[in-house]
Amino acid sequence: MGFCALCWSCDHGPAPEEVAAQAAKTYYDLLLQGKYDQFVDGRYQPDSIPASYREQLVANAKMFIGEQQEAHRGIKEVRIANAKADTLHHVANVFLVFVYGDSTNEEVLVPMVEHKGVWYTR
């Protein structure tokens, strides 16, 4: 069965965990570029949220980057370490590595959810 699943993913594009991992990295790359609105747009919201809550999420993203700048001279790069997808439940756990300006690294877990073919952070 594993072989069939492997063949299927080869024939039908990248595996779900690869897509989820790339989406997570893309969202965090946007964050590093200061594109806080786009980073927040990558967060799964099943319903529309009030503008004030969205503004708070954007402010939190800015604050996170500021804290990382103070603590580690910023995040210089985001790398994909690993990802595991549960296609039945349309979720994945993506492990990213933050490469800091002080030359330390940290692996972080980014839970992802797939909704209508798009992967979002949870």
Side-chain angles (χ1 to χ4, degrees):
M1 178 127 179
F3 179 73
C4 291
L6 179 61
C7 289
W8 184 87
S9 69
C10 293
D11 291 340
H12 298 287
E17 57 269 10
E18 293 174 20
V19 179
Q22 193 56 55
K25 181 184 181 330
T26 298
Y27 295 135
Y28 277 88
D29 285 344
L30 289 168
L31 181 65
L32 297 186
Q33 295 166 19
K35 297 178 179 176
Y36 306 112
D37 288 311
Q38 291 173 323
F39 174 75
V40 169
D41 290 342
R43 181 182 166 102
Y44 179 65
Q45 299 292 339
D47 300 309
S48 63
I49 58 172
S52 59
Y53 181 58
R54 189 174 192 294
E55 288 170 15
Q56 183 181 359
L57 292 174
V58 170
N60 287 346
K62 288 179 185 177
M63 187 169 55
F64 172 75
I65 289 297
E67 289 168 353
Q68 299 312 306
Q69 187 63 39
E70 258 185 52
H72 299 287
R73 291 191 293 215
I75 302 170
K76 300 304 176 198
E77 182 184 359
V78 175
R79 297 181 186 149
I80 298 168
N82 197 2
K84 305 250 188 267
D86 178 344
T87 55
L88 182 64
H89 295 102
H90 302 277
V91 296
N93 284 327
V94 175
F95 297 88
L96 298 177
V97 175
F98 291 170
V99 179
Y100 293 111
D102 62 5
S103 73
T104 60
N105 296 327
E106 180 181 11
E107 188 171 284
V108 296
L109 168 64
V110 182
M112 303 289 288
V113 62
E114 182 189 25
H115 181 71
K116 296 183 180 179
V118 178
W119 285 96
Y120 297 95
T121 61
R122 280 194 287 156

